[in-house]
Amino acid sequence: MAEKYDPAEIDRKWQRRWEEARVAYVDTRDGSNKFYMLNMFPYPSASRLHVGHGRNYILGDALYRRERMAGRRTFNPMGWDAFGLPAENAAIASGVHPREYTEGNIARMKTQLKGLGLLYDWSKELASCDPRYYRWNQWLFLRMWERGLAYRKTAAVNWCPGCRTVLANEQVVDGRCERSGDPVEIRDLTQWFLRITDYAERLLAGLDGLDWPDRVKTMQRNWIGRSEGAEVFFRIEALVEPVAVFTTRPDTLYGATFLALAPEHAAAAKLAEKSPRRAELERFIERVRRTSRLERESEGGEREGLDTGITALNPATGEAIPVWLANYVLPDYGTGAVMGVPAHDQRDFEFARQYALPIRPVYRTEAGEIDAAQMTEAIPHGGVLYRSGDWDGTPNGPEAVRRAIDGIEARGIGRGRVGYRLRDWLISRQRYWGTPIPAVHCPACGVQPVPDAELPVLLPEDVAFRGAEGNPLEQSEAFVTTTCPKCGGPARRETDTMDTFVDSSWYYLRFLNPDDAAAMVDSERASKWMPVDQYVGGIEHAILHLLYARFVCRVVRDLGLVSIEEPFARLFNQGMITKLNPSTGKIEKMSKSRGNTVSPDELIARFGADTVRVYTLFIGPPEKESEWSEEGVAGAWRFLQRVHDVCGRVAALLADAQKPGTRPAVGEGAAAASPLLRIEHRTVQRVTEDAQRFHFHTAVAALMEFQRAIGEALDEGSETPAALAGAARTLIRLLHPIAPHVTEEWWERFGNPPFLLDTPWPTFDPALATSERITLVVQVNGKVRGRLDVERGAAESDALALARADERIRPWVEGKEIARAVYVPDRLLNLVVR
Ligand SMILES: [Zn+2]
Ligand SMILES: [Zn+2]
């Protein structure tokens, strides 16, 4: 009688044994044959992990186990991105201290991760809110300050009214705060910045060599936004300093008929003072400043401007042109000043039409000169320059731009320049739960660095969380009151904390020496272990975290601490898991606020951790969005039950046979190969190749086929006990990265020493692995939706499983009921779905 599969007991047993044996421990002094596997460290949230979060950890763990079995010294650490606003907001709401709140969440999340059977080297665990960690944020900041890479300036910055703090440009998405979604305001404040723009070229150049998704590399390229053009100076009679304009179209300089300044531009206030329309201008400046970025940036937003009544000189024509303040010019785009060329720029064209400003075409087409009065839109491309002095006759394009730059430089009215969209990284935050910026404000000496010997600057505990505007650290007199490190006089501490993206910009280095009190980085270990071989995490970090980490890694390299520029050699972004949202009736990303989450805890209690893992990996191509289904979970459970049964039957057979046979070992080849041996070798090949590409969904499909073949051989009595035992052992080893508990259990029951992690990955004989393959056409509701490469004579159930897992066919059957399947072996599978 078949034994019941009892995952609860098996899960508990093996999770305990792995922990007791510290199977994931790695001595990082030895970096031979290394493989550094890393999941992006999570924020310890108060809400429990759902299966959507689980996906990237399960993928990471499966790859980790597979690399271990392939014989690599694989390092898989885990830590906590533990600073941040939710903890502080919880303190305001409920009075729990952010530290207590964070520690509680870490403990709970850790239990959840362990419950999924995930193995990490917990001896290297770190949390960014630990002073032993954040003191090195401060140390790094001081090194950057010494080199001019950290600095303080007054600037128009993004302010999130919801988070009550400033934000970096990278944290503003379509004019809204990426965290809270509030429309972002622009305020003039004195803040700390990191000079990431100094690294723009290196950050661009490094992208080419990375084994990363193209989408992420393109997003970073666009964010850095390199453009070649010119900086041109416009004299304004009322001002001493000319206003600099950066333009990628210096060739249209003769067509500039107005100058538009951001209301935040330093020249705007000065012009207002001198203008006959002073009061009106000052009101306008105030009003625009209060409007959100979102309104100012959006396509359909209302464009508004006000003539200062003061003129500038077009440096090419010498003509006086009006100076306007315009809401569509943002202070952090270019220089915050735009030369208005309405004939050849659509936004300028619309503005000119709205305010009846002159339009002067400087390109003519083959059809002749353009009549400005007849224009209905700008003409950005094409034609030949005219009305442009000695540039006349140059065709539109790079040649015209080059000619213009030469001319501008020769006349001393500007210079060629490479511009970037990237801005320096604003790291000040007016919040408590972050790394204190190690600076002191002295009335006599100005702002001074905290000496290294006084690090860490600890977060004070005597702070009340009231949710009022203003930095909570200002309330702690004991924290704020200090002495100046230079003159010894009374001084005040900086009360801003660092952006938490500073914490995550170098944590991958710290796993190599988390307890090191003497150094931020252990250079020797880093030289052995860096870069991270495989990094796994969400696409939402494509710019923020991944750009900052690449920047800081370069800074750390320039400090002489590491030798690499790129921290992550290979990147994988897992797709989201979706589910029906009961309130909208739509299939949406799984999230707590939508109420469509599935907790792994309940599923583990019902089906065991292996079922959750198998289904999560089987659900679809890992880089794609996949929809969660209850039936899928049940299917994964049935598969494991069958694996359990097959292993039980093989074990019983072996007990009967008593003596081992002479079956050829996998990898050694065999002259008289049985059909099962061929399937076995083919499965080893497929799973090996699939696992390397993260394609565990097709690996699971192959293992299902293999399990079925063993079951059939048992039914038919067509194989020797030794062959069956060999096949079952191979099944267990191949399935281990996907379903570690039940496989570990059977490995032991078959009389092998633990642990499967330390058992070599099976090899295959290519001669045995090849078989006669045919192409099976798959139709869904009568339309051809894909073709499958299957073995001749494949069973209908195998063909169906492969069709469901196939990337092209899946979208047509997913979430639908298969009413009927018509199967013509070796030719056609027709599915009728509804
Ligand atoms: Zn916000
Ligand atoms: Zn001083």
Side-chain angles (χ1 to χ4, degrees):
M1 195 61 231
E3 180 199 328
K4 194 179 173 301
Y5 167 45
D6 180 7
E9 197 174 313
I10 295 174
D11 286 2
R12 260 196 309 276
K13 171 181 167 182
W14 288 102
Q15 285 170 18
R16 201 190 63 238
R17 300 259 308 258
W18 292 328
E19 188 152 342
E20 282 168 3
R22 299 215 303 165
V23 289
Y25 174 79
V26 172
D27 183 343
T28 51
R29 287 172 300 184
D30 179 0
S32 58
N33 193 24
K34 68 99 180 180
F35 188 85
Y36 189 169
M37 163 71 220
L38 190 62
N39 274 102
M40 290 180 186
F41 71 162
Y43 176 77
S45 160
S47 41
R48 304 187 69 85
L49 285 179
H50 58 65
V51 294
H53 301 123
R55 191 179 202 184
N56 82 91
Y57 300 113
I58 292 170
L59 277 165
D61 188 72
L63 189 77
Y64 161 71
R65 288 175 184 268
R66 143 72 205 159
E67 292 300 323
R68 271 283 296 267
M69 294 176 77
R72 299 216 175 85
R73 280 176 61 74
T74 309
F75 183 40
N76 191 30
M78 182 48 73
W80 310 99
D81 192 7
F83 272 140
L85 269 181
E88 197 166 335
N89 290 341
I92 294 164
S94 63
V96 187
H97 192 275
R99 182 171 303 284
E100 200 182 315
Y101 170 91
T102 304
E103 283 168 358
N105 292 348
I106 287 176
R108 204 171 40 245
M109 268 182 87
K110 203 167 163 179
T111 307
Q112 273 199 298
L113 296 180
K114 288 181 178 178
L116 284 165
L118 307 172
L119 287 182
Y120 298 107
D121 183 351
W122 289 110
S123 73
K124 312 299 192 298
E125 181 180 6
L126 55 82
S128 55
C129 63
D130 183 338
R132 289 173 303 171
Y133 184 87
Y134 72 68
R135 71 170 290 176
W136 298 109
N137 280 341
Q138 296 172 339
W139 183 88
L140 177 65
F141 176 87
L142 293 171
R143 300 292 82 73
M144 292 178 78
W145 192 352
E146 286 164 4
R147 285 158 178 78
L149 292 172
Y151 67 94
R152 205 162 166 261
K153 77 167 177 192
T154 305
V157 298
N158 300 303
W159 172 266
C160 173
C163 300
R164 296 189 311 279
T165 180
V166 299
L167 303 173
N169 277 9
E170 288 78 9
Q171 284 158 323
V172 180
V173 179
D174 298 332
R176 293 181 185 272
C177 168
E178 58 95 25
R179 204 195 70 79
S180 66
D182 290 297
V184 167
E185 297 165 10
I186 297 175
R187 292 191 180 181
D188 251 336
L189 294 167
T190 305
Q191 302 286 310
W192 289 97
F193 292 83
L194 299 183
R195 212 178 287 280
I196 190 172
T197 50
D198 269 15
Y199 286 72
E201 274 306 313
R202 283 166 71 184
L203 288 168
L204 266 182
L207 286 170
D208 295 332
L210 291 177
D211 185 4
W212 284 22
D214 285 336
R215 179 156 75 122
V216 176
K217 294 205 272 188
T218 302
M219 285 168 82
Q220 291 215 356
R221 268 189 206 104
N222 292 344
W223 185 260
I224 295 167
R226 184 183 197 278
S227 58
E228 288 179 18
E231 190 170 53
V232 186
F233 300 106
F234 284 72
R235 298 218 148 272
I236 299 178
E237 46 190 332
L239 301 179
V240 182
E241 290 284 312
V243 168
V245 167
F246 175 76
T247 174
T248 56
R249 295 297 306 276
D251 52 318
T252 62
L253 181 56
Y254 283 85
T257 56
F258 64 95
L259 188 68
L261 302 180
E264 292 87 349
H265 195 289
K270 291 182 197 157
L271 287 178
E273 269 174 40
K274 299 189 171 158
S275 166
R277 311 175 69 179
R278 175 172 184 170
E280 207 183 337
L281 284 163
E282 283 173 351
R283 273 199 307 275
F284 180 74
I285 292 172
E286 259 321 291
R287 190 158 53 79
V288 175
R289 276 166 180 263
R290 278 199 309 271
T291 52
S292 70
R293 251 194 114 89
L294 181 67
E295 284 172 56
R296 289 173 67 178
E297 278 183 325
S298 70
E299 280 293 314
E302 198 191 341
R303 238 155 250 164
E304 251 193 292
L306 195 59
D307 188 355
T308 61
I310 291 171
T311 56
L313 293 182
N314 179 320
T317 63
E319 281 170 332
I321 56 173
V323 180
W324 283 66
L325 305 187
N327 70 346
Y328 75 88
V329 184
L330 288 160
D332 51 2
Y333 277 6
T335 57
V338 164
M339 66 177 206
V341 186
H344 304 293
D345 178 279
Q346 184 59 23
R347 214 168 38 165
D348 296 346
F349 178 83
E350 286 166 19
F351 191 75
R353 274 286 152 86
Q354 186 176 344
Y355 291 106
L357 292 163
I359 297 171
R360 178 211 292 256
V362 291
Y363 276 99
R364 60 180 158 73
T365 63
E366 280 170 17
E369 295 185 5
I370 299 160
D371 178 2
Q374 300 298 318
M375 287 174 75
T376 55
E377 58 182 5
I379 302 168
H381 302 294
V384 169
L385 275 171
Y386 82 117
R387 300 210 289 200
S388 295
D390 55 1
W391 306 346
D392 280 0
T394 318
N396 178 262
E399 192 193 337
V401 172
R402 212 161 31 240
R403 180 134 193 206
I405 292 172
D406 290 346
I408 285 164
E409 287 184 346
R411 279 183 248 176
I413 55 174
R415 59 195 161 96
R417 221 191 74 186
V418 173
Y420 297 95
R421 182 170 182 263
L422 183 68
R423 291 284 162 261
D424 278 342
W425 176 10
L426 197 175
I427 60 152
S428 305
R429 294 293 177 274
Q430 289 71 47
R431 300 300 301 248
Y432 169 82
W433 194 230
T435 303
I437 292 176
V440 167
H441 299 274
C442 170
C445 317
V447 60
Q448 294 296 318
V450 171
D452 283 1
E454 290 173 24
L455 299 185
V457 176
L458 290 170
L459 275 176
E461 297 289 320
D462 59 337
V463 169
F465 301 97
R466 298 192 200 95
E469 196 159 305
N471 191 327
L473 286 178
E474 285 164 8
Q475 302 165 25
S476 172
E477 267 312 310
F479 176 82
V480 171
T481 309
T482 187
T483 51
C484 169
K486 196 170 174 193
C487 71
R492 292 175 70 77
R493 247 182 231 292
E494 171 65 63
T495 53
D496 281 354
T497 53
M498 291 183 201
D499 183 359
T500 56
F501 281 98
V502 175
D503 312 343
S504 52
S505 67
W506 63 277
Y507 77 105
Y508 45 88
L509 295 169
R510 191 63 181 174
F511 282 126
L512 299 169
N513 62 329
D515 302 319
D516 193 341
M520 171 186 167
V521 178
D522 184 320
S523 298
E524 207 186 317
R525 294 186 197 191
S527 71
K528 292 173 182 165
W529 281 91
M530 289 302 292
V532 170
D533 294 279
Q534 178 67 62
Y535 201 32
V536 178
I539 186 78
E540 68 273 20
H541 296 289
I543 292 170
L544 286 157
H545 160 58
L546 290 169
L547 187 66
Y548 296 147
R550 296 180 61 230
F551 160 54
V552 168
C553 188
R554 282 162 167 80
V555 171
V556 174
R557 177 196 160 110
D558 293 349
L559 293 173
L561 299 177
V562 297
S563 55
I564 44 129
E565 287 235 332
E566 290 293 344
F568 315 120
R570 199 170 156 213
L571 173 70
F572 183 83
N573 299 127
Q574 76 280 357
M576 286 184 311
I577 291 201
T578 59
K579 195 173 182 295
L580 185 76
N581 177 349
S583 54
T584 63
K586 290 195 189 116
I587 309 293
E588 289 174 5
K589 176 187 175 181
M590 211 175 258
S591 88
K592 192 184 162 197
S593 59
R594 293 190 174 95
N596 62 344
T597 58
V598 174
S599 158
D601 306 354
E602 290 157 28
L603 292 178
I604 289 170
R606 269 178 74 195
F607 299 107
D610 286 339
T611 291
V612 176
R613 293 176 61 117
V614 166
Y615 180 58
T616 302
L617 294 171
F618 187 53
I619 193 168
E623 67 280 7
K624 298 275 168 61
E625 207 174 279
S626 301
E627 190 192 340
W628 190 266
S629 96
E630 297 299 325
E631 304 91 86
V633 177
W637 187 85
R638 284 194 301 272
F639 165 57
L640 290 173
Q641 172 74 64
R642 287 195 297 266
V643 169
H644 189 75
D645 289 348
V646 156
C647 288
R649 290 170 71 189
V650 170
L653 203 64
L654 283 181
D656 285 349
Q658 282 297 333
K659 69 174 200 307
T662 54
R663 177 189 163 276
V666 169
E668 286 167 8
S674 71
L676 185 61
L677 192 67
R678 287 192 180 277
I679 297 173
E680 180 177 337
H681 279 257
R682 199 163 62 240
T683 309
V684 174
Q685 180 179 21
R686 284 172 62 183
V687 174
T688 305
E689 290 167 1
D690 289 346
Q692 282 162 347
R693 296 182 294 139
F694 276 102
H695 281 191
F696 291 101
H697 60 307
T698 47
V700 171
L703 289 166
M704 287 175 168
E705 256 180 74
F706 186 30
Q707 167 270 317
R708 202 169 297 119
I710 301 173
E712 282 165 10
L714 278 163
D715 293 344
E716 294 159 6
S718 57
E719 299 274 347
T720 65
L724 287 162
R729 282 199 179 90
T730 301
L731 173 67
I732 284 167
R733 282 191 286 164
L734 295 177
L735 185 58
H736 179 68
I738 296 162
H741 307 84
V742 69
T743 49
E744 199 81 87
E745 176 69 17
W746 278 104
W747 190 245
E748 187 185 58
R749 289 195 199 178
F750 279 140
N752 302 289
F755 294 95
L756 269 168
L757 277 179
D758 299 317
T759 307
W761 185 254
T763 54
F764 61 91
D765 178 343
L768 286 173
T770 52
S771 68
E772 221 193 330
R773 312 283 295 175
I774 56 101
T775 300
L776 185 73
V777 173
V778 181
Q779 295 184 338
V780 179
N781 292 345
K783 288 206 174 68
V784 176
R785 296 301 185 192
R787 286 182 170 75
L788 296 172
D789 178 44
V790 300
E791 194 192 357
R792 187 173 289 282
E796 178 177 350
S797 52
D798 293 344
L800 196 60
L802 283 167
R804 280 183 198 272
D806 186 84
E807 215 164 293
R808 279 156 308 178
I809 302 165
R810 206 172 54 89
W812 302 101
V813 294
E814 193 173 50
K816 299 190 176 106
E817 192 200 332
I818 295 180
R820 201 155 51 90
V822 181
Y823 184 53
V824 185
D826 300 344
R827 287 179 60 195
L828 178 76
L829 175 65
N830 186 14
L831 304 173
V832 180
V833 304
R834 58 169 184 239

